[in-house]
Amino acid sequence: MNRTPREPRAPRARRKRTVRESLCSIVLGFESVIMFLATLAIFGLKALPWPVALGGGAALCVLLLATIPLLNRPFGIALGWALQAIILASAILVPLMLIVAVLFGGMWVFAVIKGGMIDRDNAKLAPAP
């Protein structure tokens, strides 16, 4: 088969991410890793029945990771808040999850509030188009 060589395509310009998006994605990414490890610990300690422990933990990890690309939309941030509430509610079943919920909830609050403040300051300093 004779193929004609194509010219390489120019790479697409990537959308510039906001500081809030970047900080929130970091928090959700690390939180998914910690939730995976917490799932394994809950399973190993037999704190919950194994289908609940592994199924719920896997679903939560997938939801945390699936939320990251949605952070550029308002419902992505709202979904992140909902996931933080779910993790906090999981402390009812496994009290040690309260530590994870408080630590990552605090980081989430910081990322959303401080990231938004930095984005507003950057928007004021940016030259007008």
Side-chain angles (χ1 to χ4, degrees), residues 4-125:
T4 58
R6 294 185 197 176
E7 290 186 30
R9 292 183 187 176
R12 277 191 336 174
R14 294 183 69 169
R15 184 182 65 80
K16 185 159 173 38
R17 294 177 63 165
T18 63
V19 174
R20 183 172 77 165
E21 274 181 77
S22 297
L23 290 175
C24 289
S25 66
I26 291 167
V27 171
L28 291 179
F30 281 122
E31 192 170 18
S32 69
V33 171
I34 296 302
M35 287 309 301
F36 173 74
L37 296 172
T39 299
L40 294 178
I42 291 167
F43 170 72
L45 293 172
K46 297 180 182 13
L48 294 173
W50 71 268
V52 175
L54 295 180
L60 197 53
C61 289
V62 168
L63 281 172
L64 285 165
L65 291 174
T67 304
I68 292 173
L70 303 175
L71 290 174
N72 62 343
R73 298 174 178 89
F75 68 87
I77 298 294
L79 182 57
W81 281 110
L83 290 172
Q84 299 307 315
I86 290 170
I87 293 170
L88 181 61
S90 71
I92 294 170
L93 299 173
V94 181
L96 286 176
M97 288 303 295
L98 186 61
I99 296 169
V100 174
V102 168
L103 289 175
F104 279 98
M107 287 190 282
W108 178 259
V109 169
F110 176 82
V112 170
I113 293 173
K114 193 64 174 178
M117 288 171 58
I118 293 170
D119 288 335
R120 283 190 293 278
D121 291 344
N122 286 343
K124 288 178 189 175
L125 296 174

